[in-house]
Amino acid sequence: MPGNETLSNLWPLLLYAAIVAFLLTAILLLSYFLGQHHQDRATRLPYEGGIQQSGSARLRFSAQFYLVAMLFVIFDVEAVFIMLWALGFYELGWAGYIGAAFFIAQLVVVLIYEWGIGALNIGPDTRAIFKAYNRLKTNKAV
């Protein structure tokens, strides 16, 4: 019967799931019964970590922060693709190598473009700081 064969192939998975469920329940129950129970004033406050809460949680961040975060996520996902390509390097052959080289070349072009438009400048404008410094230096020399 095909049903018995499927069930006999699944028994290790079912046994594993049962052991995990048992251990999870045992750990939670033991920590509840053996753990400390206290009702301090700060216990019910959010962000209980030693820092007092101040101000609103609705902070405004500059759009530059979100742009850098999106760039990080994009390049992080692309790194995963390159890692997967590296795992199948020998099976993919030259076609895979050329495809990966093209992919990395596109990444380099996009990175240069983003650098050129200033998407990676999250600190103070260094050119403006150097201009102000040179102006200050020139005025002191006069």
Side-chain angles (χ1 to χ4, degrees), residues 85-121:
W85 167 78
L87 287 175
F89 178 75
Y90 291 112
E91 291 84 10
L92 294 173
W94 281 104
Y97 180 77
I98 292 169
F102 183 69
F103 182 69
I104 293 171
Q106 283 179 332
L107 289 179
V108 169
V109 168
V110 169
L111 184 62
I112 291 170
Y113 171 74
E114 290 170 351
W115 190 5
I117 65 171
L120 303 175
N121 297 336

Tab-separated table of all heavy atoms in Angstrom, residues 85-121:
chain	number	residue	atom	x	y	z
A	85	TRP	N	26.179	30.965	-6.099
A	85	TRP	CA	26.925	30.703	-7.332
A	85	TRP	C	28.248	30.003	-7.002
A	85	TRP	O	28.660	29.076	-7.699
A	85	TRP	CB	27.187	32.010	-8.067
A	85	TRP	CG	28.198	31.866	-9.145
A	85	TRP	CD1	28.021	31.338	-10.383
A	85	TRP	CD2	29.580	32.221	-9.067
A	85	TRP	NE1	29.205	31.345	-11.073
A	85	TRP	CE2	30.175	31.890	-10.292
A	85	TRP	CE3	30.361	32.802	-8.082
A	85	TRP	CZ2	31.509	32.117	-10.554
A	85	TRP	CZ3	31.691	33.023	-8.342
A	85	TRP	CH2	32.256	32.676	-9.567
A	86	ALA	N	28.892	30.440	-5.912
A	86	ALA	CA	30.170	29.840	-5.540
A	86	ALA	C	29.995	28.373	-5.152
A	86	ALA	O	30.890	27.554	-5.398
A	86	ALA	CB	30.794	30.623	-4.396
A	87	LEU	N	28.851	28.025	-4.575
A	87	LEU	CA	28.617	26.625	-4.214
A	87	LEU	C	28.502	25.730	-5.445
A	87	LEU	O	28.923	24.583	-5.429
A	87	LEU	CB	27.342	26.501	-3.375
A	87	LEU	CG	27.454	27.020	-1.946
A	87	LEU	CD1	26.100	26.961	-1.265
A	87	LEU	CD2	28.470	26.220	-1.165
A	88	GLY	N	27.926	26.251	-6.502
A	88	GLY	CA	27.765	25.455	-7.717
A	88	GLY	C	28.757	25.814	-8.797
A	88	GLY	O	28.482	25.649	-9.986
A	89	PHE	N	29.942	26.289	-8.396
A	89	PHE	CA	30.929	26.792	-9.351
A	89	PHE	C	31.315	25.754	-10.399
A	89	PHE	O	31.301	26.032	-11.596
A	89	PHE	CB	32.163	27.274	-8.580
A	89	PHE	CG	33.267	27.764	-9.459
A	89	PHE	CD1	33.160	28.993	-10.080
A	89	PHE	CD2	34.406	27.009	-9.665
A	89	PHE	CE1	34.175	29.464	-10.892
A	89	PHE	CE2	35.423	27.464	-10.471
A	89	PHE	CZ	35.302	28.697	-11.083
A	90	TYR	N	31.651	24.541	-9.974
A	90	TYR	CA	32.132	23.535	-10.921
A	90	TYR	C	31.016	23.017	-11.820
A	90	TYR	O	31.244	22.720	-12.984
A	90	TYR	CB	32.795	22.379	-10.177
A	90	TYR	CG	34.096	22.795	-9.532
A	90	TYR	CD1	34.212	22.854	-8.152
A	90	TYR	CD2	35.192	23.151	-10.304
A	90	TYR	CE1	35.394	23.247	-7.556
A	90	TYR	CE2	36.376	23.548	-9.712
A	90	TYR	CZ	36.479	23.596	-8.346
A	90	TYR	OH	37.634	23.995	-7.761
A	91	GLU	N	29.807	22.919	-11.283
A	91	GLU	CA	28.692	22.409	-12.091
A	91	GLU	C	28.248	23.422	-13.142
A	91	GLU	O	27.750	23.053	-14.195
A	91	GLU	CB	27.497	22.036	-11.202
A	91	GLU	CG	27.723	20.822	-10.329
A	91	GLU	CD	28.440	21.164	-9.028
A	91	GLU	OE1	28.590	22.371	-8.718
A	91	GLU	OE2	28.876	20.227	-8.337
A	92	LEU	N	28.423	24.717	-12.847
A	92	LEU	CA	27.955	25.758	-13.769
A	92	LEU	C	28.896	25.965	-14.948
A	92	LEU	O	28.468	26.399	-16.010
A	92	LEU	CB	27.749	27.069	-13.019
A	92	LEU	CG	26.627	27.057	-11.981
A	92	LEU	CD1	26.640	28.348	-11.186
A	92	LEU	CD2	25.295	26.854	-12.654
A	93	GLY	N	30.159	25.708	-14.761
A	93	GLY	CA	31.131	25.834	-15.846
A	93	GLY	C	31.361	27.280	-16.253
A	93	GLY	O	31.139	28.221	-15.501
A	94	TRP	N	31.797	27.438	-17.518
A	94	TRP	CA	32.122	28.767	-18.026
A	94	TRP	C	30.891	29.654	-18.179
A	94	TRP	O	30.974	30.871	-18.000
A	94	TRP	CB	32.858	28.662	-19.356
A	94	TRP	CG	34.309	28.331	-19.160
A	94	TRP	CD1	34.899	27.125	-19.360
A	94	TRP	CD2	35.319	29.208	-18.674
A	94	TRP	NE1	36.231	27.194	-19.037
A	94	TRP	CE2	36.517	28.476	-18.616
A	94	TRP	CE3	35.346	30.535	-18.282
A	94	TRP	CZ2	37.712	29.024	-18.180
A	94	TRP	CZ3	36.540	31.084	-17.847
A	94	TRP	CH2	37.701	30.335	-17.804
A	95	ALA	N	29.769	29.051	-18.513
A	95	ALA	CA	28.544	29.852	-18.656
A	95	ALA	C	28.172	30.486	-17.313
A	95	ALA	O	27.792	31.667	-17.252
A	95	ALA	CB	27.405	28.976	-19.156
A	96	GLY	N	28.304	29.731	-16.243
A	96	GLY	CA	28.036	30.275	-14.915
A	96	GLY	C	29.043	31.333	-14.515
A	96	GLY	O	28.691	32.339	-13.889
A	97	TYR	N	30.311	31.123	-14.890
A	97	TYR	CA	31.341	32.098	-14.582
A	97	TYR	C	31.081	33.412	-15.305
A	97	TYR	O	31.183	34.491	-14.706
A	97	TYR	CB	32.714	31.544	-14.966
A	97	TYR	CG	33.838	32.498	-14.667
A	97	TYR	CD1	34.300	32.658	-13.376
A	97	TYR	CD2	34.425	33.244	-15.683
A	97	TYR	CE1	35.327	33.539	-13.090
A	97	TYR	CE2	35.449	34.123	-15.408
A	97	TYR	CZ	35.895	34.272	-14.120
A	97	TYR	OH	36.901	35.153	-13.841
A	98	ILE	N	30.732	33.341	-16.572
A	98	ILE	CA	30.449	34.553	-17.347
A	98	ILE	C	29.208	35.260	-16.792
A	98	ILE	O	29.181	36.487	-16.675
A	98	ILE	CB	30.293	34.208	-18.842
A	98	ILE	CG1	31.649	33.774	-19.408
A	98	ILE	CG2	29.737	35.385	-19.629
A	98	ILE	CD1	31.583	33.171	-20.791
A	99	GLY	N	28.199	34.482	-16.438
A	99	GLY	CA	26.994	35.077	-15.849
A	99	GLY	C	27.288	35.778	-14.534
A	99	GLY	O	26.811	36.886	-14.280
A	100	ALA	N	28.094	35.144	-13.676
A	100	ALA	CA	28.453	35.755	-12.400
A	100	ALA	C	29.331	36.986	-12.610
A	100	ALA	O	29.184	37.990	-11.898
A	100	ALA	CB	29.159	34.750	-11.509
A	101	ALA	N	30.237	36.939	-13.571
A	101	ALA	CA	31.080	38.098	-13.859
A	101	ALA	C	30.227	39.269	-14.343
A	101	ALA	O	30.447	40.420	-13.950
A	101	ALA	CB	32.134	37.739	-14.902
A	102	PHE	N	29.240	38.987	-15.190
A	102	PHE	CA	28.326	40.029	-15.658
A	102	PHE	C	27.522	40.596	-14.484
A	102	PHE	O	27.331	41.809	-14.376
A	102	PHE	CB	27.398	39.461	-16.737
A	102	PHE	CG	26.468	40.472	-17.328
A	102	PHE	CD1	26.937	41.485	-18.134
A	102	PHE	CD2	25.109	40.408	-17.061
A	102	PHE	CE1	26.074	42.427	-18.666
A	102	PHE	CE2	24.238	41.335	-17.583
A	102	PHE	CZ	24.728	42.351	-18.389
A	103	PHE	N	27.065	39.730	-13.601
A	103	PHE	CA	26.300	40.151	-12.427
A	103	PHE	C	27.140	41.053	-11.525
A	103	PHE	O	26.687	42.111	-11.077
A	103	PHE	CB	25.826	38.903	-11.676
A	103	PHE	CG	24.994	39.175	-10.464
A	103	PHE	CD1	23.712	39.693	-10.576
A	103	PHE	CD2	25.484	38.900	-9.210
A	103	PHE	CE1	22.943	39.934	-9.456
A	103	PHE	CE2	24.724	39.129	-8.078
A	103	PHE	CZ	23.452	39.654	-8.212
A	104	ILE	N	28.382	40.663	-11.268
A	104	ILE	CA	29.269	41.463	-10.423
A	104	ILE	C	29.617	42.776	-11.107
A	104	ILE	O	29.703	43.822	-10.451
A	104	ILE	CB	30.527	40.654	-10.051
A	104	ILE	CG1	30.131	39.490	-9.137
A	104	ILE	CG2	31.579	41.527	-9.388
A	104	ILE	CD1	31.228	38.497	-8.874
A	105	ALA	N	29.778	42.770	-12.429
A	105	ALA	CA	30.045	44.011	-13.157
A	105	ALA	C	28.864	44.976	-13.015
A	105	ALA	O	29.063	46.186	-12.844
A	105	ALA	CB	30.327	43.710	-14.622
A	106	GLN	N	27.649	44.451	-13.081
A	106	GLN	CA	26.475	45.297	-12.879
A	106	GLN	C	26.471	45.885	-11.470
A	106	GLN	O	26.143	47.061	-11.282
A	106	GLN	CB	25.193	44.506	-13.086
A	106	GLN	CG	24.849	44.249	-14.521
A	106	GLN	CD	23.568	43.441	-14.644
A	106	GLN	OE1	23.223	42.674	-13.765
A	106	GLN	NE2	22.875	43.645	-15.749
A	107	LEU	N	26.840	45.077	-10.478
A	107	LEU	CA	26.907	45.577	-9.112
A	107	LEU	C	27.920	46.710	-8.983
A	107	LEU	O	27.670	47.711	-8.315
A	107	LEU	CB	27.285	44.462	-8.147
A	107	LEU	CG	26.250	43.386	-7.880
A	107	LEU	CD1	26.823	42.350	-6.923
A	107	LEU	CD2	24.997	43.978	-7.310
A	108	VAL	N	29.060	46.560	-9.627
A	108	VAL	CA	30.091	47.594	-9.570
A	108	VAL	C	29.599	48.875	-10.236
A	108	VAL	O	29.794	49.974	-9.702
A	108	VAL	CB	31.397	47.087	-10.208
A	108	VAL	CG1	32.392	48.210	-10.400
A	108	VAL	CG2	32.002	45.983	-9.360
A	109	VAL	N	28.936	48.753	-11.389
A	109	VAL	CA	28.405	49.931	-12.083
A	109	VAL	C	27.371	50.648	-11.215
A	109	VAL	O	27.395	51.878	-11.072
A	109	VAL	CB	27.807	49.535	-13.452
A	109	VAL	CG1	26.991	50.663	-14.057
A	109	VAL	CG2	28.917	49.118	-14.400
A	110	VAL	N	26.474	49.893	-10.589
A	110	VAL	CA	25.456	50.497	-9.722
A	110	VAL	C	26.104	51.153	-8.515
A	110	VAL	O	25.711	52.251	-8.108
A	110	VAL	CB	24.414	49.436	-9.300
A	110	VAL	CG1	23.521	49.951	-8.196
A	110	VAL	CG2	23.588	49.010	-10.493
A	111	LEU	N	27.104	50.517	-7.933
A	111	LEU	CA	27.789	51.098	-6.786
A	111	LEU	C	28.492	52.401	-7.164
A	111	LEU	O	28.409	53.392	-6.423
A	111	LEU	CB	28.794	50.097	-6.215
A	111	LEU	CG	29.516	50.521	-4.947
A	111	LEU	CD1	28.517	50.722	-3.813
A	111	LEU	CD2	30.543	49.489	-4.553
A	112	ILE	N	29.149	52.431	-8.308
A	112	ILE	CA	29.806	53.664	-8.772
A	112	ILE	C	28.772	54.759	-9.021
A	112	ILE	O	28.976	55.921	-8.658
A	112	ILE	CB	30.656	53.378	-10.023
A	112	ILE	CG1	31.863	52.526	-9.648
A	112	ILE	CG2	31.099	54.667	-10.691
A	112	ILE	CD1	32.637	51.999	-10.834
A	113	TYR	N	27.637	54.390	-9.610
A	113	TYR	CA	26.578	55.367	-9.862
A	113	TYR	C	26.052	55.940	-8.544
A	113	TYR	O	25.888	57.152	-8.399
A	113	TYR	CB	25.446	54.717	-10.655
A	113	TYR	CG	24.226	55.588	-10.770
A	113	TYR	CD1	24.208	56.694	-11.617
A	113	TYR	CD2	23.091	55.327	-10.011
A	113	TYR	CE1	23.100	57.499	-11.712
A	113	TYR	CE2	21.974	56.127	-10.097
A	113	TYR	CZ	21.978	57.216	-10.957
A	113	TYR	OH	20.877	58.019	-11.038
A	114	GLU	N	25.779	55.065	-7.572
A	114	GLU	CA	25.259	55.528	-6.283
A	114	GLU	C	26.283	56.385	-5.547
A	114	GLU	O	25.920	57.356	-4.890
A	114	GLU	CB	24.845	54.337	-5.426
A	114	GLU	CG	23.609	53.657	-5.959
A	114	GLU	CD	23.320	52.339	-5.283
A	114	GLU	OE1	24.183	51.858	-4.513
A	114	GLU	OE2	22.240	51.794	-5.525
A	115	TRP	N	27.531	56.040	-5.674
A	115	TRP	CA	28.585	56.845	-5.071
A	115	TRP	C	28.629	58.217	-5.741
A	115	TRP	O	28.794	59.244	-5.081
A	115	TRP	CB	29.899	56.120	-5.233
A	115	TRP	CG	31.058	56.680	-4.470
A	115	TRP	CD1	31.068	57.706	-3.577
A	115	TRP	CD2	32.399	56.221	-4.548
A	115	TRP	NE1	32.312	57.913	-3.097
A	115	TRP	CE2	33.160	57.011	-3.667
A	115	TRP	CE3	33.031	55.222	-5.268
A	115	TRP	CZ2	34.526	56.825	-3.508
A	115	TRP	CZ3	34.385	55.042	-5.092
A	115	TRP	CH2	35.116	55.839	-4.221
A	116	GLY	N	28.472	58.233	-7.061
A	116	GLY	CA	28.526	59.492	-7.811
A	116	GLY	C	27.380	60.430	-7.479
A	116	GLY	O	27.566	61.652	-7.449
A	117	ILE	N	26.178	59.905	-7.254
A	117	ILE	CA	25.048	60.784	-6.946
A	117	ILE	C	24.988	61.141	-5.466
A	117	ILE	O	24.129	61.921	-5.049
A	117	ILE	CB	23.700	60.170	-7.385
A	117	ILE	CG1	23.386	58.899	-6.601
A	117	ILE	CG2	23.664	59.934	-8.869
A	117	ILE	CD1	21.978	58.377	-6.826
A	118	GLY	N	25.905	60.592	-4.662
A	118	GLY	CA	25.971	60.938	-3.250
A	118	GLY	C	25.069	60.116	-2.363
A	118	GLY	O	24.779	60.521	-1.238
A	119	ALA	N	24.613	58.976	-2.842
A	119	ALA	CA	23.721	58.148	-2.032
A	119	ALA	C	24.434	57.547	-0.834
A	119	ALA	O	23.784	57.174	0.138
A	119	ALA	CB	23.121	57.032	-2.892
A	120	LEU	N	25.738	57.465	-0.867
A	120	LEU	CA	26.488	56.861	0.229
A	120	LEU	C	27.046	57.893	1.200
A	120	LEU	O	27.709	57.531	2.170
A	120	LEU	CB	27.623	56.004	-0.338
A	120	LEU	CG	27.183	54.900	-1.300
A	120	LEU	CD1	28.389	54.199	-1.877
A	120	LEU	CD2	26.266	53.919	-0.610
A	121	ASN	N	26.794	59.172	0.960
A	121	ASN	CA	27.287	60.233	1.845
A	121	ASN	C	26.291	60.436	2.975
A	121	ASN	O	25.281	61.110	2.812
A	121	ASN	CB	27.468	61.543	1.083
A	121	ASN	CG	28.507	61.425	0.005
A	121	ASN	OD1	29.380	60.586	0.079
A	121	ASN	ND2	28.408	62.268	-1.013
